[in-house]
Amino acid sequence: MLRGLIEQQRASGGAGIRILTETVTSPAMADQLAAIQKLFPASKWHQWEPAGPHSARTGAMLAFGQPVHTYYNVSNANVIVSLDADFLASGEASLRYARQFAARRRVDGANTTMNRLYVVEPMPTPTGSKADHRLPLRAGDVEEFAWLLAAGLGVAKARSKATMATSISGWAAWSRI
């Protein structure tokens, strides 16, 4: 059966073949895909990143009306809530964030107030390991938690979206944020 399919595709030049990958940075993988395209010249190769830079660009356009890079200043934050984001160890500004975060964790002279870090994440990360409170939560439930948190902080639009209120294990500690 497979042999018949390959012969059929060769006859059409691979016109019905579509390959979908994430961004390929491996030379070996790129060579393999090039070999497939050489064998089936009418095939199409598509690269797509569901959480790639185009998502951040679109978000910036919605928020600011223009494509801008957003960098946070966590050195002034008393409370940080990280929703499935390993901001201390990944991303282009992670070193800056880690330094700013660590500077606020040092008790030095008259500075005796430390920031607080709350992390919601499905898998342990370096950021989660630094958290004062970490809530393990399925990735599919993080958005619903965000709506719940927004509603708890008084964001009126969020009240209708928050439905999990007491179903999240450990919500009591989080409700005091």
Side-chain angles (χ1 to χ4, degrees):
M1 182 172 164
L2 184 58
R3 181 174 292 165
L5 182 60
I6 291 172
E7 292 305 318
Q8 179 185 3
Q9 289 300 323
R10 279 197 179 136
S12 69
I17 297 176
R18 297 291 184 267
I19 301 169
L20 175 62
T21 67
E22 62 189 2
T23 300
V24 173
T25 58
S26 162
M29 178 66 81
D31 287 346
Q32 291 171 348
L33 289 164
I36 291 171
Q37 287 188 302
K38 186 175 182 181
L39 186 61
F40 302 110
S43 66
K44 301 288 183 191
W45 173 22
H46 307 276
Q47 296 183 65
W48 185 67
E49 293 285 341
H54 65 280
S55 298
R57 179 183 172 90
T58 302
M61 290 292 292
L62 288 170
F64 305 110
Q66 61 183 346
V68 296
H69 289 287
T70 305
Y71 296 103
Y72 307 106
N73 183 358
V74 298
S75 63
N76 295 325
N78 292 324
V79 175
I80 302 168
V81 177
S82 174
L83 302 175
D84 197 10
D86 188 17
F87 73 96
L88 294 177
S90 63
E92 58 188 55
S94 62
L95 183 58
R96 174 190 306 175
Y97 299 149
R99 286 181 178 163
Q100 291 175 348
F101 174 77
R104 286 291 311 276
R105 300 296 275 193
R106 291 187 191 102
V107 176
D108 184 25
N111 182 20
T112 60
T113 306
M114 296 191 323
N115 58 18
R116 291 297 187 234
L117 175 60
Y118 296 82
V119 175
V120 176
E121 60 188 4
M123 298 291 294
T125 64
T127 299
S129 72
K130 301 291 184 193
D132 297 299
H133 299 280
R134 180 183 174 273
L135 179 63
L137 199 59
R138 291 180 333 118
D141 292 336
V142 173
E143 179 184 358
E144 199 165 353
F145 177 86
W147 284 113
L148 178 64
L149 181 60
L153 293 172
V155 177
K157 182 178 179 181
R159 293 183 198 282
S160 63
K161 297 274 189 176
T163 59
M164 283 195 331
T166 57
S167 66
I168 296 177
S169 171
W171 171 249
W174 290 80
S175 63
R176 292 187 297 270
I177 294 177

